Amino acid sequence: MPSKKEIEEVLKLDAEKRFSYTIKRIADFEFVWAIGDQHGFANYGDDNGNVAFAIWPFEAYAALCCKADFANCKPEAIELDFFQEEYLTDFKDRKMRLAIFPLPTDKGILIDIEEFEQRLQKELDEYY
């Protein structure tokens, strides 16, 4: 869990730097955070009709987006191994993307699953 000071500093970062931070923290803690309700996880969309599954590195950041259209949602943790094996495989089949660390005022980085996997694996390789 990040400190209050870390949260404040990270929220000042642009989307690309939040993406790098997310990759590092997911590799560190081996969890991905999403938001959802009793009907399932929330998805984001872009202006071209593409669907993206939003992820964050920590609960505190995900909770920031549980308002407006997502007011009924709450942050939920997903173990990294399960996320990779189950979710990413399904997302690839459905041609979905990931929205990395969106904020209420910023959609974050929309990225293809393959690119996310490559960046994450590169970070994980540094740990093992």
Side-chain angles (χ1 to χ4, degrees), residues 32-35 42-44 52-56 83 97-102:
V32 170
W33 285 85
I35 60 173
N43 289 318
Y44 281 57
F53 186 85
I55 63 170
W56 295 265
F83 182 72
R97 301 176 87 192
L98 293 176
I100 310 295
F101 205 142

Side-chain angles (χ1 to χ4, degrees), residues 25-108:
R25 293 314 214 166
I26 289 172
D28 284 344
F29 292 92
E30 297 188 4
F31 276 93
V32 170
W33 285 85
I35 60 173
D37 61 18
Q38 68 273 18
H39 302 293
F41 288 108
N43 289 318
Y44 281 57
D46 67 14
D47 296 336
N48 298 321
N50 297 308
V51 177
F53 186 85
I55 63 170
W56 295 265
F58 292 110
E59 177 181 16
Y61 301 121
L64 296 172
C65 290
C66 293
K67 40 179 99 164
D69 291 343
F70 303 113
N72 293 329
C73 293
K74 63 179 181 148
E76 296 185 41
I78 307 168
E79 289 184 24
L80 182 57
D81 287 342
F82 186 77
F83 182 72
Q84 289 176 295
E85 293 168 14
E86 300 294 326
Y87 285 83
L88 293 183
T89 300
D90 179 55
F91 296 161
K92 280 189 223 176
D93 291 344
R94 294 169 49 199
K95 304 211 181 328
M96 288 178 62
R97 301 176 87 192
L98 293 176
I100 310 295
F101 205 142
L103 295 172
T105 58
D106 179 351
K107 290 185 179 183

Side-chain angles (χ1 to χ4, degrees), residues 100-115:
I100 310 295
F101 205 142
L103 295 172
T105 58
D106 179 351
K107 290 185 179 183
I109 297 284
L110 292 178
I111 190 168
D112 292 328
I113 303 302
E114 293 80 7
E115 185 175 346

